[in-house]
Amino acid sequence: MALSKRKVVSSLLRKGFLQRKKGHHIVLVYQNINGDLSKIRTRLSHGSHPEDLSDYLVLNMAKQVNLHRKQFEQFV
């Protein structure tokens, strides 16, 4: 199941991730309750294409935030 890039980014931002731009990538870093940045982070291309994330990219993003793919899809 392909996920929309816009949906993934907005969902993670609502759940406490902070957005940082680094070169051609968007880096999403989780901020814990105390306001400290954690080691949980993921990144994706800043470009507008493609709008839908590939299965491979969704799987890699899930691994980066320490979730299984199905858990990541439900989390988003």
Side-chain angles (χ1 to χ4, degrees):
M1 173 174 137
L3 294 175
S4 162
K5 183 190 314 185
R6 181 174 290 170
K7 179 181 177 182
V8 170
V9 171
S10 66
S11 177
L12 292 177
L13 290 175
R14 283 192 313 268
K15 290 178 172 65
F17 281 76
L18 298 176
Q19 181 174 329
R20 307 270 193 237
K21 292 183 182 175
K22 186 174 184 182
H24 296 286
H25 293 93
I26 297 171
V27 179
L28 298 161
V29 183
Y30 185 71
Q31 183 178 15
N32 64 23
I33 296 171
N34 299 332
D36 299 326
L37 298 179
S38 71
K39 292 182 180 181
I40 299 174
R41 63 186 66 222
T42 188
R43 69 182 191 149
L44 52 109
S45 176
H46 187 275
S48 61
H49 299 289
E51 284 299 316
D52 288 336
L53 302 176
S54 68
D55 291 336
Y56 176 77
L57 185 57
V58 172
L59 179 62
N60 282 330
M61 290 178 75
K63 287 179 182 178
Q64 289 170 350
V65 296
N66 300 321
L67 295 173
H68 294 287
R69 180 196 164 104
K70 204 61 146 170
Q71 292 172 322
F72 183 75
E73 289 176 358
Q74 292 172 347
F75 182 68
V76 168

